[in-house]
Amino acid sequence: MELNDLERQRAEKVTRLQEANVAPYPHRSHRTHTTAQAIAAFEASVADGSPAPQVTVAGRVVSMRNMGKLMFAHIEDAADRLQLFIRSNDLGEDAFNLLKRTVDLGDFVEATGTMVRTRTGEISVQAETVTMLAKAITPLPIPKELEDEQGNITRFSAFSDIEERYRQRYADLAVNREVREIFRVRSRMITALRSWLDSHDYLEVETPILQPIYGGAAARPFTTFHNQLKQNLYLRISFELYLKRLLVGMYERVYEIGRDFRNEGVSYKHNPEFTQLELYCAYTDLYGIMETVEQMLAHVAEATLGSRQLSFAGQDIDLTPPWRRATLRDVIQQATGIDYVAYPDADRLRTEMRQRGYAAASDASWGHLVDTLLGEAEPHLIQPTFVHDYPVEISPLAKHKPDDPTHVERFELFVGGMEMGNAFTELNDPFEQERRFVQQGRAYEAGDQEAQPMDEDYLQAMMYGMPPNGGFGLGIDRLAMLFTDHRSIRDVLLYPHLRSRDQ
RNA sequence: GGCCCGCUAGCUCAAUCGGUAGAGCAGGGGUCUCUUAAACCCUUGGUUACAGGUUCGAGUCCUGUGCGGGUCACCA
């Protein structure tokens, strides 16, 4: 370990404790109360006139005010802070002086004593003993805080360097309480999703992450290799094909929450690995899925935030069903003035787009150009909106509309200007599915690296008969962004992907 | 990948036209038995991201590299 000056001073304090026969890292704590429980116990004793409770509390030292033979400190545990009122008289001179010479901000300590109210009215522990639980060596950037009459907290020189916060998330979490809350919200949100799905007869399953053939989405995969089997493998880009095989196997409602991996650009809304919910439901279709999604997410919002209304990027969003439904054609026409149906091939659509001042890559297929146009509309889709009826070219796993073979029964869900999810009436005709795979193969050979490879085993499954069904995929990270009002996916990932830094 | 911005003490930030690298907090030494951004006195701490260049002299100007942020492209 290479230590800087401050760390060296703290390491010396470890030695000082050892010399005084005090363990700097004792095996266990003897906490009897969390800080909140200690305060509650004190208030209860005041209410019924019983003697003030004796407690042992534990936590990280987050502030200290030393006054010679008297010391005030706050400790913080997972939820709250509590003041320690430490007097030389109560501890004994030796113990008090040792504490004074060895304790730093950031250390974990335990204090035993009686709950009291100090002269300024703050509920505190009047400590009889203060024990080191874990000496911190690297100083944590714990900011000073000022709380006004209304309880508003002003922080001074808070740890705010974005890069360091991501790289050393433990330090970020330790000193920025609101960051801890983000991940509590995220966890509640996922719990609520599971609970809703479980109570609607969905079975949670797990499917392979290491796959010999990837598929189910338009994306480039990560590749890896099994040494002993000498087998090339891909990290999954979606769960879709494995989940739909389970409908062949007579489960009617299945879902999985897990990680997808896509070997693509990193941005404020893309991380190389991200969390996805996919669900499949037999005997329903795209329109049934719309209702499922509305009900589910309205429930999740209430269970997580206590409301169906939320605020994201300065805009009020209402998740109360029913949600707006609009065709892709209408949405694009409203945003760009272009009716893509009137330009049914890539050359004509490209020309029209360029005339109207939109970028259109020379090598882009018609489907990609339509997708580019959707990108123009996306930022305007603030309230929850099901954008439905997509061109078949960019939807190889969806069933076409009964009256229009050029479009499929598919929607993408947009909220807050972000794409949140994607759903189809799932294709279950093995002959049609084979033609779509062949078409994708041609696209791949033509240079589309996101085209999906043929999956013979998936076709085999479908040939045994797959019930008509609807499926839905939801970006959990993006939902977390929405629920916590953060515009960067990195803010809702505990450990976002970052480049390695030179040592 | 293109373009723009950033990187200075443990943390948050200064540093004028290119002229001795500073402050607050944290740390160390003191005073102080009801403080709460405690206060007061003294004080340690720097490869200015890295490598090179221009210059008598570079945190500052130039080139390159790294990392991050933004944006465009890509990406359902």
Side-chain angles (χ1 to χ4, degrees):
Chain A
M1 264 189 282
E2 240 173 79
L3 302 182
N4 65 32
D5 285 349
L6 293 174
E7 290 167 336
R8 214 169 295 122
Q9 284 172 359
R10 289 178 173 217
E12 281 161 18
K13 291 178 183 179
V14 169
T15 309
R16 208 176 290 169
L17 284 166
Q18 286 163 334
E19 283 168 358
N21 259 325
V22 174
Y25 301 100
H27 284 67
R28 49 194 60 87
S29 159
H30 301 90
R31 177 166 83 166
T32 61
H33 294 68
T34 66
T35 57
Q37 287 166 344
I39 291 167
F42 177 74
E43 283 170 339
S45 76
V46 171
D48 66 14
S50 58
Q54 178 89 2
V55 300
T56 298
V57 293
R60 208 189 263 285
V61 178
V62 292
S63 74
M64 281 195 291
R65 291 166 299 285
N66 198 325
M67 323 207 25
K69 293 189 159 47
L70 174 66
M71 186 198 251
F72 292 93
H74 279 88
I75 60 168
E76 179 174 315
D77 58 20
D80 296 282
R81 291 185 173 193
L82 178 60
Q83 182 168 261
L84 305 182
F85 175 44
I86 307 164
R87 303 195 310 165
S88 177
N89 285 359
D90 296 329
L91 256 64
E93 206 173 318
D94 289 349
F96 185 85
N97 286 335
L98 181 67
L99 179 72
K100 219 166 75 168
R101 291 177 61 222
T102 54
V103 74
D104 285 295
L105 290 180
D107 293 348
F108 282 96
V109 300
E110 175 175 277
T112 301
T114 309
M115 299 300 294
V116 295
R117 210 182 268 279
T118 58
R119 215 168 277 169
T120 52
E122 181 164 350
I123 297 171
S124 310
V125 178
Q126 183 165 353
E128 286 141 31
T129 62
V130 178
T131 309
M132 182 67 69
L133 289 180
K135 181 73 198 157
I137 301 301
T138 303
L140 265 180
I142 299 172
K144 294 207 171 186
E145 295 185 350
L146 176 61
E147 191 173 344
D148 68 15
E149 305 286 314
Q150 286 77 43
N152 300 314
I153 291 173
T154 309
R155 254 190 265 174
F156 302 88
S157 304
F159 183 45
S160 58
D161 183 289
I162 290 172
E163 181 173 356
E164 288 310 317
R165 285 183 44 228
Y166 294 156
R167 286 190 192 278
Q168 302 200 46
R169 184 65 98 179
Y170 33 84
D172 185 27
L173 291 164
V175 302
N176 291 321
R177 278 169 289 177
E178 70 285 358
V179 177
R180 299 207 293 260
E181 183 58 19
I182 293 171
F183 296 98
R184 290 206 176 93
V185 169
R186 183 179 168 124
S187 175
R188 285 204 299 273
M189 186 186 90
I190 292 172
T191 300
L193 277 169
R194 277 214 168 85
S195 138
W196 190 92
L197 288 161
D198 292 344
S199 68
H200 287 75
D201 295 324
Y202 281 85
L203 180 73
E204 182 171 15
V205 298
E206 293 168 275
T207 62
I209 291 173
L210 292 174
Q211 303 181 347
I213 298 172
Y214 63 92
R220 294 160 69 176
F222 287 93
T223 60
T224 187
F225 184 71
H226 190 294
N227 291 337
Q228 212 261 317
L229 300 177
K230 295 189 171 48
Q231 185 181 21
N232 287 308
L233 292 166
Y234 302 95
L235 300 189
R236 69 181 172 193
I237 59 172
S238 83
F239 324 151
E240 171 141 1
L241 301 183
Y242 281 96
L243 288 176
K244 280 195 281 189
R245 283 171 169 97
L246 298 177
L247 302 183
V248 173
M250 297 300 280
Y251 293 112
E252 293 185 4
R253 295 180 174 197
V254 294
Y255 76 98
E256 178 166 4
I257 293 174
R259 212 66 65 81
D260 273 339
F261 307 85
R262 297 189 184 175
N263 206 338
E264 289 165 350
V266 177
S267 80
Y268 71 98
K269 47 182 177 175
H270 298 270
N271 197 61
E273 55 182 293
F274 62 100
T275 302
Q276 177 101 330
L277 160 69
E278 286 191 33
L279 64 86
Y280 293 87
C281 181
Y283 313 116
T284 189
D285 60 11
L286 189 75
Y287 307 99
I289 293 291
M290 286 183 187
E291 285 171 27
T292 296
V293 170
E294 286 170 347
Q295 297 303 324
M296 178 172 72
L297 293 187
H299 163 83
V300 169
E302 267 179 34
T304 306
L305 306 171
S307 168
R308 293 171 169 187
Q309 279 84 41
L310 55 88
S311 171
F312 178 73
Q315 302 194 258
D316 294 322
I317 291 173
D318 187 352
L319 297 179
T320 304
W323 297 346
R324 180 185 170 212
R325 301 179 183 193
T327 64
L328 178 64
R329 187 180 176 185
D330 287 347
V331 161
I332 287 179
Q333 199 158 11
Q334 275 170 27
T336 68
I338 297 176
D339 180 9
Y340 68 78
V341 175
Y343 307 94
D345 62 74
D347 285 338
R348 277 191 273 180
L349 183 54
R350 187 180 300 114
T351 306
E352 175 65 14
M353 284 169 68
R354 286 180 176 168
Q355 257 170 22
R356 288 177 183 263
Y358 296 108
S362 304
D363 57 347
S365 66
W366 183 80
H368 271 110
L369 291 174
V370 172
D371 212 46
T372 304
L373 288 172
L374 174 57
E376 296 293 329
E378 192 171 345
H380 306 295
L381 300 170
I382 304 299
Q383 298 303 320
T385 305
F386 294 114
V387 177
H388 60 94
D389 292 5
Y390 276 64
V392 65
E393 282 83 353
I394 51 176
S395 314
L397 299 163
K399 228 172 200 176
H400 63 71
K401 292 180 71 70
D403 53 351
D404 177 4
T406 67
H407 282 74
V408 295
E409 292 194 357
R410 170 185 182 183
F411 74 69
E412 288 187 312
L413 170 62
F414 292 87
V415 188
M418 283 188 297
E419 186 206 332
M420 308 293 298
N422 185 22
F424 319 132
T425 299
E426 302 289 341
L427 184 57
N428 65 342
D429 172 346
F431 302 105
E432 174 64 16
Q433 184 67 70
E434 183 176 33
R435 284 194 289 277
R436 302 276 189 93
F437 273 137
V438 168
Q439 192 274 327
Q440 286 284 304
R442 279 199 289 268
Y444 188 87
E445 273 158 32
D448 181 357
Q449 291 183 292
E450 284 137 27
Q452 302 186 42
M454 169 74 75
D455 190 333
E456 301 276 3
D457 182 74
Y458 179 64
L459 284 177
Q460 172 65 72
M462 205 177 270
M463 284 167 67
Y464 281 115
M466 180 186 290
N469 70 93
F472 174 62
L474 175 70
I476 297 291
D477 310 291
R478 297 210 183 149
L479 194 66
M481 290 164 68
L482 189 70
F483 278 20
T484 62
D485 195 13
H486 280 84
R487 269 172 268 189
S488 171
I489 196 170
R490 298 175 197 111
D491 287 324
V492 301
L493 295 169
L494 280 169
Y495 302 104
H497 182 79
L498 297 174
R499 281 191 167 89
S500 316
R501 197 154 48 176
D502 293 345
Q503 293 306 309

